[in-house]
Amino acid sequence: PRTYQGNIYYPFYQYQNIQSAHIQGFEAETMYDAGAWFVGVSVTLLRGYNDVTGVGLATIPGNKIVTSGGVRLLDRKMTIGASWSSVASNQNVPINYLPATSYDLLNLYLSYEPVKDVWVNFTVDNALNRYYRPYAIPKASPTEVQNDTLWASVPPGIVYKGTVRMRFSAM
């Protein structure tokens, strides 16, 4: 253990179930698909706290709004789309935690079916290369303001993914 101004701080943490945890929320999604194009919006609102102490829970993610849309081309064999996620930091966390950051992420994707039952997909996640910390992390000391290097791995920057999918059938 380490000491700070006469107090002992243990540099080890683990998640434990809280018997008196209270989690409530709201989630909604709507999507409109016109065939040649589509748009959608989803909203997730969560709150979590300890019923006994009234203190917020460190593991509750921030409120999130995701908008998405895209177009279908080449007789609907190609789909080009994007989604924008906007996440608010959950500031209602225990005093010995640093809240998560608020962040916005842009994801892009393309899907193409060059021949029947073969799909080629390409995605770019976090296309704007934003830094974010999606979860609260423990503080090393009461005055800590930035502790990412000790408790959190660096979030992914731009991530490129490609896949090929084939369907084999007896028909």
Side-chain angles (χ1 to χ4, degrees):
R2 291 186 274 174
T3 60
Y4 179 80
Q5 294 182 350
N7 296 319
I8 296 176
Y9 294 95
Y10 293 90
F12 308 103
Y13 286 85
Q14 72 181 54
Y15 289 111
Q16 295 181 349
N17 289 333
I18 296 173
Q19 191 172 16
S20 53
H22 184 98
I23 300 171
Q24 61 188 32
F26 172 80
E27 191 169 35
E29 180 177 18
T30 184
M31 182 68 103
Y32 182 79
D33 193 330
W37 58 273
F38 56 93
V39 295
V41 176
S42 69
V43 175
T44 304
L45 306 172
L46 282 176
R47 239 177 47 166
Y49 56 90
N50 183 323
D51 275 333
V52 174
T53 65
V55 175
L57 302 174
T59 56
I60 300 297
N63 296 330
K64 178 171 30 173
I65 296 175
V66 178
T67 56
S68 60
V71 295
R72 295 186 184 96
L73 308 167
L74 306 175
D75 289 328
R76 298 187 187 173
K77 292 188 177 286
M78 178 182 284
T79 301
I80 301 171
S83 69
W84 182 274
S85 300
S86 185
V87 182
S89 171
N90 175 14
Q91 297 290 315
N92 188 21
V93 296
I95 197 162
N96 60 329
Y97 277 79
L98 291 173
T101 58
S102 296
Y103 58 94
D104 296 301
L105 296 179
L106 174 64
N107 299 323
L108 308 170
Y109 59 92
L110 176 124
S111 177
Y112 180 58
E113 184 182 8
V115 295
K116 184 175 174 20
D117 294 334
V118 175
W119 296 269
V120 177
N121 301 296
F122 183 71
T123 63
V124 181
D125 293 337
N126 193 6
L128 301 176
N129 197 25
R130 300 287 189 206
Y131 171 83
Y132 62 101
R133 188 179 62 240
Y135 301 103
I137 58 174
K139 290 182 183 179
S141 72
T143 58
E144 187 71 54
V145 293
Q146 184 76 18
N147 197 19
D148 293 8
T149 57
L150 294 175
W151 296 104
S153 59
V154 177
I158 298 174
V159 177
Y160 302 96
K161 295 186 244 181
T163 61
V164 176
R165 182 173 55 129
M166 301 177 86
R167 177 173 38 205
F168 298 99
S169 65
M171 295 184 187

